[in-house]
Amino acid sequence: MLYHDFLTNEKRRIHKVPHYFPIYDRHFNKFKDQSIVFWEIGVAGGGSLQMWQRYFGPFATIVGLDINPDCKKYEEDEIKVCIGDQKDKGFLSSVITEYGIPDVILDDGSHIMSDIKQTFEFMYDKLSKNGVYFIEDICTAYWDSYEGGLGREGSIIELGKDLVDSLNARHSNLPLAFAESTFSICFYDSIVVFEKMAWPKGMYRTVITPEKFR
């Protein structure tokens, strides 16, 4: 189990919150032993990149992104590290060009609301059609020092709330693009996860209307 790997880790230090591990397993398990591209934004001491390489297996390409040039030293044969700003579109595009379209993005980067939002808005559509976009430590959405605050416009919490309506766009007059590429939005304590899914044409044949309940 991933949590056991974390507890018994004797390699580089891993800084993760214990209650995150069942959430990781819930959303990442389907990618194990698959040929995927996994991004972790925020390398820190490099230990979590090693953990993800063990978890996903030998077919996965593990890519760490960080603004700190010192993090380049954490590269290994199956772990790549790219140095740049997470909200820099040119940088993000260059990582895609070099390693391919990501299947999983884990944002554990600056935790600043504008950084999180800009990265998500640029990268979500570029994620693979059945990919997962996982943002952790969003407790900062409530902290002023990270551009957060309860109900504060521009936080990832408020963006997520708005996208719940977009997820249900078939029942309103909202644009359908997000709904047609997204299966779920899952909120947890300090985490939000967006799961994509390419809805086959005709799969959603019946749109529920008020008349259905009369």
Side-chain angles (χ1 to χ4, degrees):
M1 290 180 59
L2 184 59
Y3 188 52
H4 180 265
D5 183 284
F6 169 70
L7 292 175
T8 58
N9 175 56
E10 295 182 349
K11 295 189 175 183
R12 296 192 183 106
R13 184 178 64 88
I14 304 169
H15 180 70
K16 295 291 184 183
V17 181
H19 85 264
Y20 289 5
F21 285 87
I23 305 171
Y24 293 144
D25 273 322
R26 176 176 293 182
H27 295 283
F28 294 165
N29 183 66
K30 66 180 181 179
F31 297 106
K32 291 175 70 174
D33 298 316
Q34 302 295 314
S35 179
I36 65 160
V37 176
F38 172 89
W39 286 17
E40 183 167 35
I41 301 172
V43 171
S48 61
L49 294 177
Q50 293 178 323
M51 180 182 72
W52 296 125
Q53 192 278 322
R54 295 190 295 270
Y55 179 76
F56 289 111
F59 306 112
T61 299
I62 307 298
V63 184
L65 290 72
D66 205 287
I67 201 168
N68 182 0
D70 290 344
C71 291
K72 193 71 174 175
K73 66 187 178 184
Y74 298 125
E75 279 197 332
E76 300 177 10
D77 288 344
E78 297 176 336
I79 296 172
K80 308 302 178 184
V81 175
C82 300
I83 305 302
D85 190 326
Q86 73 171 91
K87 63 180 181 293
D88 183 335
K89 297 178 181 179
F91 166 64
L92 297 172
S93 295
S94 72
V95 179
I96 296 173
T97 298
E98 186 166 3
Y99 296 107
I101 294 170
D103 299 285
V104 181
I105 295 176
L106 170 57
D107 188 342
D108 186 22
S110 73
H111 308 308
I112 295 170
M113 293 301 105
S114 57
D115 290 353
I116 294 171
K117 187 170 182 286
Q118 288 180 57
T119 307
F120 175 80
E121 289 178 340
F122 182 70
M123 286 302 305
Y124 188 70
D125 287 343
K126 294 170 178 57
L127 194 66
S128 67
K129 63 182 181 180
N130 292 304
V132 170
Y133 200 109
F134 192 112
I135 308 172
E136 65 183 50
D137 297 338
I138 60 170
C139 49
T140 60
Y142 299 99
W143 300 348
D144 184 69
S145 57
Y146 287 83
E147 302 175 358
L150 183 61
R152 183 169 174 175
E153 185 178 354
S155 80
I156 190 60
I157 294 289
E158 296 307 307
L159 175 61
K161 290 177 185 178
D162 290 341
L163 288 175
V164 170
D165 288 327
S166 294
L167 187 64
N168 289 278
R170 296 177 184 87
H171 319 296
S172 69
N173 293 320
L174 292 173
L176 285 170
F178 183 81
E180 289 180 337
S181 66
T182 305
F183 181 67
S184 70
I185 304 171
C186 301
F187 285 95
Y188 306 88
D189 181 345
S190 300
I191 287 173
V192 62
V193 184
F194 300 85
E195 292 186 304
K196 295 186 74 172
M197 184 178 82
W199 291 79
K201 188 175 181 181
M203 179 176 178
Y204 203 106
R205 294 179 180 176
T206 303
V207 175
I208 301 171
T209 65
E211 289 74 20
K212 298 281 184 182
F213 295 97
R214 291 175 183 170

